[in-house]
Amino acid sequence: MTVPSLHDSVLEQRAAIRGMVAAASRAISPHYPLETFIARNPVADYERLSFEDAIRAVAADHGAGLTFPEPVFRHLLGVGRITADDLRRAIAFHVAEARSPRILCCGETEVTVGELLLLDLCHAPVDASPRPALQTPAALRAPKAHARIDEHIGRWLSAAFAEATWARRGEGDGLWEAWRRLAPLDLRLLRRVRSGIRWSATHPEDAIADALSQWGWDDATATQYLRAHVLAQPGWTAAVRHAAVTGDARMSVTALVAMRVTLESLLLADRDVSPEDLGYLGPADAPAVPGDDRIEAVGRAAGVDVADPVVRQALARVLSLVDPASRRAIWQEAYERGAARRLAPAVAPVLRPVGPSAERPLAQAVFCIDPRSEGIRRHLETAAHVETLGFAGFFAVPISFRSAAGGPAVASCPVLLTPRRTVTESSSDREPLARWQQRLAGGHALRDTFGRVKESTITPFALAETAGWLMGPAMAARTVSPAGWRALGERLGRLLPTKPATRLDADVAMDLDERVLYAEAALRMMGLVEGFARLVVLAGHGAEVTNNPYASALQCGACGGHEGAPNARAAALVFNDPPTRTRLAERGIRIPDDTLFVAAQHDTVTDAVRLLEPWAIPATHADDVERLDAVFDRARAGHAAERLAVLPGAAAGADPVRETARRRADWAEVYPEWGLAGNAAFIVGPRSITAGHDLGRRAFLHSYDAAADPDGSGLETILTAPMIVAQWINAQYAASALSPDRFGAGPKPLHNVVGTVGVLSGYGGDLRIGLPWQSVGVGCELVHEPVRLQVFVQAPFVRLNHLLESAEVVRDLVVKGWITLRAREHDTDRWLRFGPYGWVEEPDLAPVPADTPAPTLENLEASR
Amino acid sequence: MSTTALTPMTKIEIVVPGDDAADIAELIRSVGARGYTSVSGVSGFGHHGARGGRMLFNDHDALTLLITVVPDHRADAIVAGIRPILDRTSGVMFVSATAVSRPDYFA
């Protein structure tokens, strides 16, 4: 790569600068705004590296860890969460030399490489937590100037994103143009700085080129310099990245970097700084030479004479096999083996009815693969003869949904996908619909006005001053009796025009070929091609919460951070569509005439499961629905009680239905539910291999039956789509748990919402990315276990091998160590793990008895 | 029409993961290219083994082929801008001579 000199064409130079910034900005993933919060690995770009290399690179660039620090791992070893055997196996997995039984002679003592490395992990002086290595010159030489740059940029972007009135004077301008025009009026800046901004280059790329030429960097250090500025405020960079790629023409990371480097040039006179001081030479690739203290600690633990030079040399050779990053990777592997052992489906024959088919179940209920579904499914199966299945909550209908309530269409599908069709909600009851829409319009206007005033950066102060006398009593009532306040609102709502029966136009928006394609894909992917019940419930999910900026983080990830109700309704319509059923029958899937698909929604806060279109239930199925409703209520009570046992602030003996309803309505509740905390596994196979096992809401469960998927395309779709979304979620939770200060959104009580773009912690600082602390921890203790996704697939190996060859996205995650893939062909087979040399058996992955109680999420003190 | 009556141009083809296509497309537009063609879901075999494949519900990781045709004097700028991105991601770029019948569409 070459940076064109100023003598090359201007056009070429600008393009090169833009390319360099685009490359640098990949160091932080785009940040989705609050209304469509999407869980994603904040350092997803590092997934092109092996996990071990990424540990080094993320430490060097971000000063953050992808694993616990070693003291925490040692604590986990001490309390038994990690076993010595797990650690031995992890060493052998990562270090080829440790697999050899060869004995080393250290004086009169005989030890193996594996034993020495085990002693090293347990006794050697621990390496310090990673420190930010990549710095801007201002951060190193003039921290006050650096803080001033950060403060100015944060203030400017808060205004730009929240569209404060004064910022709109530059409407139509890009970020750079508006800043050049308006920043010289900012009296908080020094006169010479204001003047410098006024006379800066008219193009942001030229301003960056000016800064690069001032520093005199070469190509490699110029790239690192830009990355340092990109990562100086990763939150704002991530927000600008997302805005730019989603069509906000005003925003560009190039402009953001130009603003930063221009301010730095104007505020920092000291140019005497070397790339080495700034950490621009990257992480060292060579294994660390073990120091004397490490050799002596291991030697003492091994009981060998460390004064003997030959012994010291032997120890040094062995200890040089692992550097700080590989030590962490080994610990992480050992840590994850415990989770895998706990969550692996048992190796045991699953009893199946033989002879005449068994009695038809009351219903089949298809829930989202979201780990929260695992609990409600378990309780539903206990409450009655109901079969449950798992499928991605968008139910294979990638749609934009336009609600009858008005407003723009929202993409209701995974962010991996572009919606294929727009589905609209409407009603044949024209007059009631018009009255309801008028009522909503009035409410919307009021809420819109109130919301705009509340979410702007300046007007909330005026709002509090003018409306406080009215809002004060209402606030008091909401605080004292949140459930009562909500009930009052609902009662008042019933006095006004209500929503009439509506339907979606999915059968019109999607042509027959599409409907058949998606319906067949869904049924084959989840293995539901025969034995249909009279009722098949498609249960999307959502979370009703109050006063929670991160509400969308609790919604359905497969529906782009929205509730799954529209997709459940659209999919039910498609499955009930006679022409679609006719074509499915031609393709070998015969849905009986008496099978009715119904849409439902599972509220993950209260565990209520309600049917979404009760008006569409025919008289022939009314009794079935009534019985099923009672079953849903029993399952709700059981699962809510189970969840409350591990939710902070729940009084012992509290009525689970009332308590969860309070959490839904309480605007001061920071723990309405645990979300996906604890997620650790992705299990692909028939429900029979996990039924009866309490997985503690820690596993994504995707139903799959190889026999229903003759060409393997269903498995390919599962591993290239739902599994990818699960890995995004898993990585997001891990990052927010391990580096809450850098990759987490901080404590909820301190949140200061900036428009809809995100939150600040208090008055200023960087925009917070990731999940709030209350999504992963309590007090100072961590609740979420940051383990990489443990994937278990029951499918023919020939299909998996073909998939690993053809699907790069899956192959990379597995081979580079970002997920762990285990597979077996039959339920009586042992799990094999895909490792560096192909599939290998793991004898220690013992089955867990079906009656094992739920694991309690460990409270681990993360030392930071 | 004989080929000698056509106007010489430069064709640039880039194959990148779908997630990177937006950055590349923005670069193409920013140097004054009049347009580009984007083909998603391409597959093939290369340096890192098989690429792409059937991904019914994943546009994000599907490979995208971007094709643009520009006058020769704009090609160097596009190449200069794209190279740093390709250094940081998996992708390939092909630059070749081509000819068009309506140069005003591309200039």
PDB file of all heavy atoms in Angstrom, chain B residues 59-78:
ATOM      1  N   ASP B  59     -27.445 -12.176   3.515  1.00  0.00           N
ATOM      2  CA  ASP B  59     -26.870 -11.322   2.467  1.00  0.00           C
ATOM      3  C   ASP B  59     -25.547 -10.731   2.939  1.00  0.00           C
ATOM      4  O   ASP B  59     -24.696 -10.370   2.134  1.00  0.00           O
ATOM      5  CB  ASP B  59     -27.817 -10.148   2.145  1.00  0.00           C
ATOM      6  CG  ASP B  59     -29.183 -10.625   1.680  1.00  0.00           C
ATOM      7  OD1 ASP B  59     -29.253 -11.745   1.147  1.00  0.00           O
ATOM      8  OD2 ASP B  59     -30.171  -9.890   1.885  1.00  0.00           O
ATOM      9  N   HIS B  60     -25.411 -10.625   4.251  1.00  0.00           N
ATOM     10  CA  HIS B  60     -24.281  -9.928   4.863  1.00  0.00           C
ATOM     11  C   HIS B  60     -22.945 -10.569   4.499  1.00  0.00           C
ATOM     12  O   HIS B  60     -21.960  -9.888   4.222  1.00  0.00           O
ATOM     13  CB  HIS B  60     -24.491  -9.953   6.384  1.00  0.00           C
ATOM     14  CG  HIS B  60     -23.401  -9.338   7.184  1.00  0.00           C
ATOM     15  ND1 HIS B  60     -22.278 -10.027   7.579  1.00  0.00           N
ATOM     16  CD2 HIS B  60     -23.271  -8.104   7.700  1.00  0.00           C
ATOM     17  CE1 HIS B  60     -21.502  -9.241   8.293  1.00  0.00           C
ATOM     18  NE2 HIS B  60     -22.086  -8.069   8.386  1.00  0.00           N
ATOM     19  N   ASP B  61     -22.907 -11.902   4.510  1.00  0.00           N
ATOM     20  CA  ASP B  61     -21.646 -12.600   4.266  1.00  0.00           C
ATOM     21  C   ASP B  61     -21.535 -13.131   2.846  1.00  0.00           C
ATOM     22  O   ASP B  61     -20.514 -13.711   2.491  1.00  0.00           O
ATOM     23  CB  ASP B  61     -21.495 -13.764   5.263  1.00  0.00           C
ATOM     24  CG  ASP B  61     -21.307 -13.257   6.687  1.00  0.00           C
ATOM     25  OD1 ASP B  61     -20.300 -12.571   6.925  1.00  0.00           O
ATOM     26  OD2 ASP B  61     -22.169 -13.517   7.532  1.00  0.00           O
ATOM     27  N   ALA B  62     -22.596 -12.937   2.054  1.00  0.00           N
ATOM     28  CA  ALA B  62     -22.525 -13.375   0.652  1.00  0.00           C
ATOM     29  C   ALA B  62     -21.542 -12.466  -0.079  1.00  0.00           C
ATOM     30  O   ALA B  62     -21.456 -11.275   0.194  1.00  0.00           O
ATOM     31  CB  ALA B  62     -23.902 -13.283   0.017  1.00  0.00           C
ATOM     32  N   LEU B  63     -20.785 -13.043  -0.996  1.00  0.00           N
ATOM     33  CA  LEU B  63     -19.829 -12.234  -1.752  1.00  0.00           C
ATOM     34  C   LEU B  63     -20.563 -11.345  -2.741  1.00  0.00           C
ATOM     35  O   LEU B  63     -21.578 -11.749  -3.323  1.00  0.00           O
ATOM     36  CB  LEU B  63     -18.852 -13.136  -2.505  1.00  0.00           C
ATOM     37  CG  LEU B  63     -17.828 -13.884  -1.656  1.00  0.00           C
ATOM     38  CD1 LEU B  63     -16.974 -14.784  -2.538  1.00  0.00           C
ATOM     39  CD2 LEU B  63     -16.942 -12.918  -0.890  1.00  0.00           C
ATOM     40  N   THR B  64     -20.046 -10.145  -2.910  1.00  0.00           N
ATOM     41  CA  THR B  64     -20.642  -9.197  -3.849  1.00  0.00           C
ATOM     42  C   THR B  64     -19.605  -8.824  -4.905  1.00  0.00           C
ATOM     43  O   THR B  64     -18.439  -8.586  -4.576  1.00  0.00           O
ATOM     44  CB  THR B  64     -21.108  -7.928  -3.105  1.00  0.00           C
ATOM     45  OG1 THR B  64     -22.136  -8.295  -2.181  1.00  0.00           O
ATOM     46  CG2 THR B  64     -21.668  -6.883  -4.067  1.00  0.00           C
ATOM     47  N   LEU B  65     -20.025  -8.806  -6.149  1.00  0.00           N
ATOM     48  CA  LEU B  65     -19.165  -8.367  -7.254  1.00  0.00           C
ATOM     49  C   LEU B  65     -19.605  -6.965  -7.661  1.00  0.00           C
ATOM     50  O   LEU B  65     -20.771  -6.749  -8.002  1.00  0.00           O
ATOM     51  CB  LEU B  65     -19.303  -9.331  -8.439  1.00  0.00           C
ATOM     52  CG  LEU B  65     -18.707  -8.870  -9.779  1.00  0.00           C
ATOM     53  CD1 LEU B  65     -17.191  -8.718  -9.676  1.00  0.00           C
ATOM     54  CD2 LEU B  65     -19.066  -9.845 -10.887  1.00  0.00           C
ATOM     55  N   LEU B  66     -18.681  -6.012  -7.569  1.00  0.00           N
ATOM     56  CA  LEU B  66     -18.966  -4.636  -7.990  1.00  0.00           C
ATOM     57  C   LEU B  66     -18.186  -4.368  -9.275  1.00  0.00           C
ATOM     58  O   LEU B  66     -16.985  -4.679  -9.359  1.00  0.00           O
ATOM     59  CB  LEU B  66     -18.535  -3.639  -6.910  1.00  0.00           C
ATOM     60  CG  LEU B  66     -19.382  -3.663  -5.640  1.00  0.00           C
ATOM     61  CD1 LEU B  66     -18.534  -3.374  -4.421  1.00  0.00           C
ATOM     62  CD2 LEU B  66     -20.497  -2.636  -5.717  1.00  0.00           C
ATOM     63  N   ILE B  67     -18.861  -3.820 -10.258  1.00  0.00           N
ATOM     64  CA  ILE B  67     -18.216  -3.537 -11.547  1.00  0.00           C
ATOM     65  C   ILE B  67     -18.444  -2.066 -11.870  1.00  0.00           C
ATOM     66  O   ILE B  67     -19.574  -1.572 -11.807  1.00  0.00           O
ATOM     67  CB  ILE B  67     -18.833  -4.382 -12.684  1.00  0.00           C
ATOM     68  CG1 ILE B  67     -18.820  -5.872 -12.313  1.00  0.00           C
ATOM     69  CG2 ILE B  67     -18.087  -4.140 -13.996  1.00  0.00           C
ATOM     70  CD1 ILE B  67     -19.707  -6.729 -13.191  1.00  0.00           C
ATOM     71  N   THR B  68     -17.367  -1.381 -12.200  1.00  0.00           N
ATOM     72  CA  THR B  68     -17.517  -0.001 -12.650  1.00  0.00           C
ATOM     73  C   THR B  68     -16.626   0.218 -13.876  1.00  0.00           C
ATOM     74  O   THR B  68     -15.587  -0.434 -14.024  1.00  0.00           O
ATOM     75  CB  THR B  68     -17.182   1.014 -11.539  1.00  0.00           C
ATOM     76  OG1 THR B  68     -17.522   2.323 -11.990  1.00  0.00           O
ATOM     77  CG2 THR B  68     -15.714   0.986 -11.159  1.00  0.00           C
ATOM     78  N   VAL B  69     -17.066   1.109 -14.730  1.00  0.00           N
ATOM     79  CA  VAL B  69     -16.290   1.472 -15.925  1.00  0.00           C
ATOM     80  C   VAL B  69     -16.066   2.978 -15.865  1.00  0.00           C
ATOM     81  O   VAL B  69     -17.016   3.751 -15.707  1.00  0.00           O
ATOM     82  CB  VAL B  69     -17.036   1.071 -17.209  1.00  0.00           C
ATOM     83  CG1 VAL B  69     -16.320   1.617 -18.445  1.00  0.00           C
ATOM     84  CG2 VAL B  69     -17.162  -0.443 -17.294  1.00  0.00           C
ATOM     85  N   VAL B  70     -14.804   3.379 -15.935  1.00  0.00           N
ATOM     86  CA  VAL B  70     -14.467   4.802 -15.792  1.00  0.00           C
ATOM     87  C   VAL B  70     -13.428   5.189 -16.842  1.00  0.00           C
ATOM     88  O   VAL B  70     -12.707   4.329 -17.369  1.00  0.00           O
ATOM     89  CB  VAL B  70     -13.885   5.100 -14.387  1.00  0.00           C
ATOM     90  CG1 VAL B  70     -14.936   4.986 -13.310  1.00  0.00           C
ATOM     91  CG2 VAL B  70     -12.694   4.219 -14.079  1.00  0.00           C
ATOM     92  N   PRO B  71     -13.339   6.497 -17.128  1.00  0.00           N
ATOM     93  CA  PRO B  71     -12.239   6.941 -17.986  1.00  0.00           C
ATOM     94  C   PRO B  71     -10.902   6.608 -17.318  1.00  0.00           C
ATOM     95  O   PRO B  71     -10.817   6.552 -16.086  1.00  0.00           O
ATOM     96  CB  PRO B  71     -12.446   8.469 -18.069  1.00  0.00           C
ATOM     97  CG  PRO B  71     -13.848   8.703 -17.654  1.00  0.00           C
ATOM     98  CD  PRO B  71     -14.208   7.605 -16.719  1.00  0.00           C
ATOM     99  N   ASP B  72      -9.891   6.428 -18.130  1.00  0.00           N
ATOM    100  CA  ASP B  72      -8.597   5.983 -17.601  1.00  0.00           C
ATOM    101  C   ASP B  72      -8.087   6.883 -16.471  1.00  0.00           C
ATOM    102  O   ASP B  72      -7.500   6.405 -15.510  1.00  0.00           O
ATOM    103  CB  ASP B  72      -7.555   5.930 -18.730  1.00  0.00           C
ATOM    104  CG  ASP B  72      -7.950   4.897 -19.791  1.00  0.00           C
ATOM    105  OD1 ASP B  72      -8.886   4.115 -19.512  1.00  0.00           O
ATOM    106  OD2 ASP B  72      -7.344   4.889 -20.871  1.00  0.00           O
ATOM    107  N   HIS B  73      -8.326   8.194 -16.574  1.00  0.00           N
ATOM    108  CA  HIS B  73      -7.741   9.103 -15.587  1.00  0.00           C
ATOM    109  C   HIS B  73      -8.397   8.979 -14.212  1.00  0.00           C
ATOM    110  O   HIS B  73      -7.866   9.475 -13.231  1.00  0.00           O
ATOM    111  CB  HIS B  73      -7.804  10.560 -16.076  1.00  0.00           C
ATOM    112  CG  HIS B  73      -9.194  11.126 -16.139  1.00  0.00           C
ATOM    113  ND1 HIS B  73     -10.004  10.957 -17.241  1.00  0.00           N
ATOM    114  CD2 HIS B  73      -9.903  11.856 -15.240  1.00  0.00           C
ATOM    115  CE1 HIS B  73     -11.174  11.558 -17.014  1.00  0.00           C
ATOM    116  NE2 HIS B  73     -11.137  12.110 -15.812  1.00  0.00           N
ATOM    117  N   ARG B  74      -9.569   8.337 -14.144  1.00  0.00           N
ATOM    118  CA  ARG B  74     -10.205   8.136 -12.827  1.00  0.00           C
ATOM    119  C   ARG B  74      -9.840   6.778 -12.220  1.00  0.00           C
ATOM    120  O   ARG B  74     -10.044   6.543 -11.036  1.00  0.00           O
ATOM    121  CB  ARG B  74     -11.723   8.215 -12.953  1.00  0.00           C
ATOM    122  CG  ARG B  74     -12.257   9.590 -13.307  1.00  0.00           C
ATOM    123  CD  ARG B  74     -13.725   9.707 -12.925  1.00  0.00           C
ATOM    124  NE  ARG B  74     -14.330  10.906 -13.493  1.00  0.00           N
ATOM    125  CZ  ARG B  74     -14.188  12.112 -12.978  1.00  0.00           C
ATOM    126  NH1 ARG B  74     -13.476  12.278 -11.886  1.00  0.00           N
ATOM    127  NH2 ARG B  74     -14.768  13.165 -13.550  1.00  0.00           N
ATOM    128  N   ALA B  75      -9.326   5.887 -13.023  1.00  0.00           N
ATOM    129  CA  ALA B  75      -9.089   4.519 -12.546  1.00  0.00           C
ATOM    130  C   ALA B  75      -8.044   4.479 -11.436  1.00  0.00           C
ATOM    131  O   ALA B  75      -8.209   3.757 -10.442  1.00  0.00           O
ATOM    132  CB  ALA B  75      -8.657   3.632 -13.715  1.00  0.00           C
ATOM    133  N   ASP B  76      -6.984   5.259 -11.588  1.00  0.00           N
ATOM    134  CA  ASP B  76      -5.917   5.221 -10.579  1.00  0.00           C
ATOM    135  C   ASP B  76      -6.445   5.616  -9.203  1.00  0.00           C
ATOM    136  O   ASP B  76      -6.027   5.071  -8.181  1.00  0.00           O
ATOM    137  CB  ASP B  76      -4.773   6.166 -10.978  1.00  0.00           C
ATOM    138  CG  ASP B  76      -3.932   5.584 -12.104  1.00  0.00           C
ATOM    139  OD1 ASP B  76      -4.109   4.384 -12.384  1.00  0.00           O
ATOM    140  OD2 ASP B  76      -3.135   6.333 -12.695  1.00  0.00           O
ATOM    141  N   ALA B  77      -7.357   6.588  -9.181  1.00  0.00           N
ATOM    142  CA  ALA B  77      -7.913   7.037  -7.898  1.00  0.00           C
ATOM    143  C   ALA B  77      -8.715   5.918  -7.243  1.00  0.00           C
ATOM    144  O   ALA B  77      -8.611   5.691  -6.030  1.00  0.00           O
ATOM    145  CB  ALA B  77      -8.791   8.272  -8.109  1.00  0.00           C
ATOM    146  N   ILE B  78      -9.516   5.232  -8.023  1.00  0.00           N
ATOM    147  CA  ILE B  78     -10.315   4.134  -7.448  1.00  0.00           C
ATOM    148  C   ILE B  78      -9.392   3.046  -6.904  1.00  0.00           C
ATOM    149  O   ILE B  78      -9.583   2.542  -5.789  1.00  0.00           O
ATOM    150  CB  ILE B  78     -11.284   3.557  -8.499  1.00  0.00           C
ATOM    151  CG1 ILE B  78     -12.342   4.618  -8.858  1.00  0.00           C
ATOM    152  CG2 ILE B  78     -11.965   2.291  -7.992  1.00  0.00           C
ATOM    153  CD1 ILE B  78     -13.332   4.185  -9.905  1.00  0.00           C
TER     154      ILE B  78
END
